[in-house]
Amino acid sequence: GLELEKSGMLAFQNLKWRDDGLIEEQNAIRRLGFLFLAYKVEVWWFEVLVMVQKLLLSSVLVFLYTGTASQVAIAFFITFAFLLLVLINRPFTNQQLQTLQVYALVTQALNMFFGIMLITAGFQETAGTSTDDSFFPYLLFILNLSVIFVPLIQMIVNSKALYLRLKGLTARLK
């Protein structure tokens, strides 16, 4: 342990947030746990990264290339980069949260991709070359509506799996 510490590296096994340790850790969990308890201990900083992503998309990006396809393209790349970070780091303690975060980011990226296509289609129409984009509003509606139903479906599937496990356990106990 001491040799690793001297070299600036620390090795930990899988750690869990504990509220039975130091008084400072108990206070941090009680006061701010809602911000970081969903994340694995080794990626405690991930919520800060989420806030940076939200700041970039909601505040900073408003002032860049306003109303252009470039603005939406930058937003797409920010979202795509964050999606890659989530997939690489797998920061959540709960697999369901991980899956929902990935799904939400994919949906957000697809919305931006379709936004780029619609802006480009608008430019093409003004140039005299028309495209048939009548299915985009329906596709976007279904995509955004799915964000509501995917968690519900996930909950039903998980509750059915839990039911089957409990049923198998009770059958073995008999």
Side-chain angles (χ1 to χ4, degrees), residues 112-127:
M112 292 173 196
F113 178 74
F114 288 137
I116 293 168
M117 291 180 70
L118 287 173
I119 290 172
T120 305
F123 289 141
Q124 288 175 350
E125 285 177 8
T126 57

Side-chain angles (χ1 to χ4, degrees), residues 8 13 17-18 23 28 36 48 55 62 87 92 111 122 163 168 170:
Q13 293 189 1
W17 295 109
R18 298 172 29 160
I23 198 87
F36 61 83
V48 174
L55 176 71
V62 173
L87 290 172
F92 292 96
N111 268 292
Y163 169 76
T170 56

Side-chain angles (χ1 to χ4, degrees), residues 27-167:
N27 288 337
I29 288 173
R30 189 174 61 253
R31 292 179 185 158
L32 300 172
F34 67 94
L35 290 174
F36 61 83
L37 285 176
Y39 301 107
K40 295 175 185 171
V41 174
E42 58 271 15
V43 286
W44 58 267
W45 46 265
F46 208 80
E47 182 64 24
V48 174
L49 193 62
V50 170
M51 292 299 124
V52 169
Q53 182 222 15
K54 290 178 181 180
L55 176 71
L56 287 173
L57 290 176
S58 64
S59 299
V60 175
L61 198 58
V62 173
F63 301 109
L64 300 176
Y65 307 108
T66 305
T68 65
S70 297
Q71 183 182 35
V72 183
I74 292 169
F76 173 80
F77 285 118
I78 291 170
T79 302
F80 187 73
F82 193 74
L83 174 62
L84 291 177
L85 285 171
V86 168
L87 290 172
I88 290 167
N89 288 299
R90 305 192 59 75
F92 292 96
T93 57
N94 182 318
Q95 182 57 40
Q96 289 176 319
L97 287 175
Q98 178 74 26
T99 303
L100 289 175
Q101 178 68 28
V102 168
Y103 185 76
L105 287 169
V106 167
T107 303
Q108 188 178 5
L110 285 174
N111 268 292
M112 292 173 196
F113 178 74
F114 288 137
I116 293 168
M117 291 180 70
L118 287 173
I119 290 172
T120 305
F123 289 141
Q124 288 175 350
E125 285 177 8
T126 57
T129 57
S130 180
T131 60
D132 183 22
D133 60 345
S134 60
F135 72 96
F136 279 129
Y138 300 110
L139 190 58
L140 286 173
F141 177 76
I142 291 169
L143 180 67
N144 288 303
L145 193 63
S146 72
V147 173
I148 296 170
F149 291 107
V150 166
L152 294 174
I153 293 168
Q154 187 180 29
M155 186 177 70
I156 291 167
V157 168
N158 288 333
S159 64
K160 183 176 181 181
L162 178 63
Y163 169 76
L164 292 175
R165 274 188 273 152
L166 291 175
K167 186 177 176 182

